[in-house]
Amino acid sequence: MSDQNNETMPIDPNVDPYGFLGMVRNSDGSITRLQEPLVPVDTSNDVSHLVVTKDISINSSKNTWARIILPCELIHSTTNTPKLPLVIYFHGGGFIVATVDTPVFQGLYASIASEIPAIVVSIEYRQAPEHRLPAAYDDCMEALHWIKNKPDDLLSDHADFSKCFLMGTSAGGNVVYHVGLRASESWDNLKPLEIKGLILNQPFFGGNERTQSEVRLANDKMLPPIISDIMWDLGLPEGVDRDHEYSNPMVGIKSNPNLFDQVKVLGWKMLVTGCDGDPLIDRQVDLVRVLKELGVQVEGSFTQGAYHGSEVVDPLKAKEFSLLVKELINHI
């Protein structure tokens, strides 16, 4: 991570981790949210004017909802335009902070929708610790069934349901992994929604033992291990540690070597991205290695000179990522 980014973070996460997350930890173990964490966003290359959005409720009893993002040209076109790939997106935030509406995510939505181009549906799921995992997985799986029923004309008119991709950043990448596995087992019940690929952008995984990259980047200013530890402590089911399968995918794979058999049968492609400035990179690289050994069609894209969350902070990184995803989608 660059010095400039380090300097613009208002609170050092290694000094005041709960303050960095916009919360305080109470004596009984509960938390009080004070504000949404402040993440500086570069707006010099803003592309939000290239898209239109619409928010729709999914389940009012859970306060889950979705934002549909699509290129402006679709709305303004006077001719019949081909339907676009459907990207179902799960946002990051370590399961405990951020929402679909968080300002830092809007540029990435717009970049994905305009560069690919694609119809993006970003899903709001319940937060921990009020709703610990697997609540987020349950909500996002419910969202897939909601989307398959084409709840809005923007989707039925413009989205190609036969070319759907699950995509997520950080904790959202973790959601893609687990919801993708669930969806592969119930693919027939999701029709006409046909998933073709899983895209894990800097996915959030963990484990009890520190990796070399976590040790090397122990004082990182975006996602140091101390912050990840808090996120897992608040997000995982009560009474489990970071070697639970929700946080450590190696645990699930070792206990069930056939875990990805249905993904292979369906021919789904997987893309895992990461960078050398992210403490999580060793876990991401290991996941790609193990999935390849299992025969999964997976590619890893690992870059240098970036940091965790760079695609949602830096518009140029968002564009690079969007073009990488475009290449994957165009080859399916």
Side-chain angles (χ1 to χ4, degrees):
M1 186 175 176
S2 69
D3 290 341
Q4 179 180 359
N5 285 97
N6 287 349
E7 293 171 358
T8 55
M9 296 305 297
I11 299 175
D12 188 331
N14 296 287
V15 175
D16 182 7
Y18 285 99
F20 174 80
L21 292 168
M23 60 181 65
V24 293
R25 185 82 179 245
N26 303 315
S27 58
D28 63 357
S30 65
I31 62 165
T32 299
R33 302 176 191 276
L34 303 177
Q35 62 184 25
E36 190 165 288
L38 179 61
V39 179
V41 183
D42 180 357
T43 58
S44 59
N45 293 284
D46 182 37
V47 293
S48 59
H49 63 283
L50 298 177
V51 299
V52 293
T53 67
K54 181 178 182 179
D55 296 347
I56 310 176
S57 174
I58 296 177
N59 187 329
S60 58
S61 69
K62 297 179 180 178
N63 199 28
T64 55
W65 55 280
R67 174 164 296 166
I68 303 172
I69 306 102
L70 66 163
C72 286
E73 59 196 42
L74 282 184
I75 300 300
H76 300 144
S77 176
T78 57
T79 61
N80 289 329
T81 55
K83 291 188 175 183
L84 298 180
L86 176 60
V87 174
I88 301 175
Y89 182 84
F90 308 121
H91 67 77
F95 300 109
I96 64 171
V97 296
T99 71
V100 166
D101 205 32
T102 297
V104 74
F105 297 130
Q106 309 313 306
L108 181 59
Y109 301 156
S111 179
I112 295 166
S114 60
E115 292 289 349
I116 292 177
I119 309 299
V120 179
V121 183
S122 185
I123 306 300
E124 182 63 12
Y125 51 85
R126 290 170 295 169
Q127 289 182 339
E130 296 85 353
H131 306 280
R132 291 174 176 267
L133 293 174
Y137 307 149
D138 295 342
D139 292 348
C140 293
M141 195 68 203
E142 181 181 31
L144 298 187
H145 286 278
W146 174 80
I147 290 171
K148 80 173 186 181
N149 293 319
K150 303 184 179 181
D152 190 87
D153 288 346
L154 289 179
L155 294 177
S156 55
D157 291 347
H158 300 295
D160 183 351
F161 277 62
S162 69
K163 203 170 188 180
C164 172
F165 297 82
L166 305 188
M167 176 194 295
T169 298
S170 192
N174 177 296
V175 172
V176 169
Y177 179 89
H178 289 286
V179 171
L181 285 171
R182 288 192 190 186
S184 71
E185 296 298 331
S186 60
W187 63 274
D188 201 39
N189 292 327
L190 289 171
K191 288 183 176 181
L193 199 64
E194 295 184 27
I195 297 169
K196 299 296 186 182
L198 308 176
I199 302 165
L200 289 65
N201 173 220
Q202 298 185 333
F204 181 54
F205 294 120
N208 288 339
E209 185 177 346
R210 294 283 192 244
T211 64
Q212 290 184 10
S213 59
E214 288 168 342
V215 172
R216 174 172 58 86
L217 295 166
N219 295 315
D220 181 60
K221 302 300 185 185
M222 277 299 258
L223 190 68
I226 191 174
I227 293 294
S228 292
D229 290 353
I230 291 172
M231 289 172 165
W232 289 124
D233 181 49
L234 295 174
L236 287 168
E238 294 275 9
V240 307
D241 60 26
R242 295 191 301 274
D243 276 337
H244 189 276
E245 62 180 331
Y246 292 164
S247 52
N248 190 342
M250 299 305 170
V251 172
I253 292 173
K254 286 178 181 177
S255 65
N256 181 8
N258 300 318
L259 190 61
F260 278 84
D261 282 3
Q262 191 59 30
V263 170
K264 292 189 290 184
V265 169
L266 293 169
W268 291 1
K269 305 291 195 301
M270 292 185 66
L271 172 66
V272 180
T273 71
C275 63
D276 63 343
D278 184 353
L280 303 179
I281 187 171
D282 285 356
R283 298 190 186 279
Q284 297 155 357
V285 170
D286 282 348
L287 177 64
V288 171
R289 175 184 57 80
V290 169
L291 291 179
K292 284 186 174 181
E293 291 174 356
L294 291 175
V296 177
Q297 297 183 65
V298 59
E299 294 297 332
S301 177
F302 301 105
T303 61
Q304 296 183 338
Y307 50 90
H308 189 84
S310 55
E311 286 86 354
V312 299
V313 175
D314 183 343
L316 296 180
K317 293 293 184 184
K319 182 172 182 177
E320 289 176 11
F321 172 68
S322 299
L323 293 175
L324 180 67
V325 173
K326 179 178 182 178
E327 183 178 356
L328 169 70
I329 290 177
N330 285 348
H331 282 81
I332 292 179

